[in-house]
Amino acid sequence: MCAVQATRADVTPWSGSTSQIATYCDAPLPQHPDMLAHTLRRSLPNAPRPHRALSTTAPRLNSVSSPFSFLPANSLHPKPGRSKGITEIRGPYYAPTSDGVKFAGGAFTLMPEDRLRALIDTCHKHGCYVSTGGFIERVLSSSGGNKQVISNYLTTCKNMGFDVLEISSGFLSIPTEDWASLVEFTAAHGLKPKPEVGIQWGAGGDASIEELESAGTRDPKWLIDRANTFLQAGATYMIMIESEGITENVKNWRTDVISAITSALPRDKIMFEAADPDVFAYHIQNQGARANLFIDHSQIVQLACLRRGIWGTGSTFARVVTTTTSAGGDDGVNKQQRVDATRMK
């Protein structure tokens, strides 16, 4: 898909004149279209073009199954078990082509059990962990915090094959100690708790900028303190950073909040919501190719190419690099070994 996109970009219609082309080719051009095309094919390859130096020490597309392993590309830690450079995509009905798939909005509760199991099994066979998304908010609000109902929900999620349980509270007011207890309770049920924290009250409902502004935001220190509390309570897999109030539904991005978070929390323990090309490009530019990001499925090719440094926009093309050559490729890893390690981590 990347090659197709690159080809289309390369054949953007020429908006100048034939005299300009002639100047570039340093040769007179015939007016007949067939002769013009023939002349251009002969002349343009000799024109000076910027290039990216190749070296024997450069990171390469080193997948054992890739016929292009001789080409340079950024190195990423291999699956399974990597803690940096993780990509998660929104589910449930999208192809599992990344590290993780998240069900949005409790969509899994609408699916027949056999279909849900089959989809989760498919994700696991492709080396993807499966997350519930933040449906726990609905469980908490509808049950009044009843511990037995919560336990039944966690047990059912575990039995269905879910690996990660996101613990969101964008619409709920939960004491920090109760939130930490829920992290411990989730881990006790054999699931990986993934608390979601943010600065915006009412996040998660795609409210308007005006609504969110009227609700107000929290100090970044509040977010960082809660994240550290949850890490200590057992959320050792990942903390999700809610984008609303930071880069989503705001008039101006709060890059100061991003800087505060990345400075205070372990990079391999935080994942930013970044379901917008400009946003994930910003994170890659400022955190590097191995930033942990949650995106939409439609953006997976763009982000994957950006991470590997093989494609990008005008501001990122050939500018995203890594120096580690031992991170390895992903495609050659045995699929079943990958998912087993991912689920046992």
Side-chain angles (χ1 to χ4, degrees), residues 66-117:
S66 173
F68 304 102
S69 58
F70 58 92
L71 295 175
N74 291 335
S75 59
L76 295 175
H77 294 289
K79 293 161 61 175
R82 64 181 169 203
S83 60
K84 297 178 181 178
I86 293 174
T87 297
E88 177 178 299
I89 62 173
R90 181 179 285 115
Y93 41 83
Y94 308 136
T97 56
S98 63
D99 300 276
V101 176
K102 180 172 84 169
F103 283 76
F108 57 87
T109 64
L110 306 177
M111 303 177 67
E113 181 175 336
D114 59 336
R115 301 282 182 87
L116 178 58
R117 287 187 182 278

Side-chain angles (χ1 to χ4, degrees), residues 252-270:
N252 298 295
W253 289 1
R254 293 290 307 276
T255 55
D256 59 313
V257 176
I258 298 174
S259 297
I261 293 170
T262 55
S263 297
L265 298 173
R267 195 179 72 170
D268 62 341
K269 298 299 181 184
I270 54 176

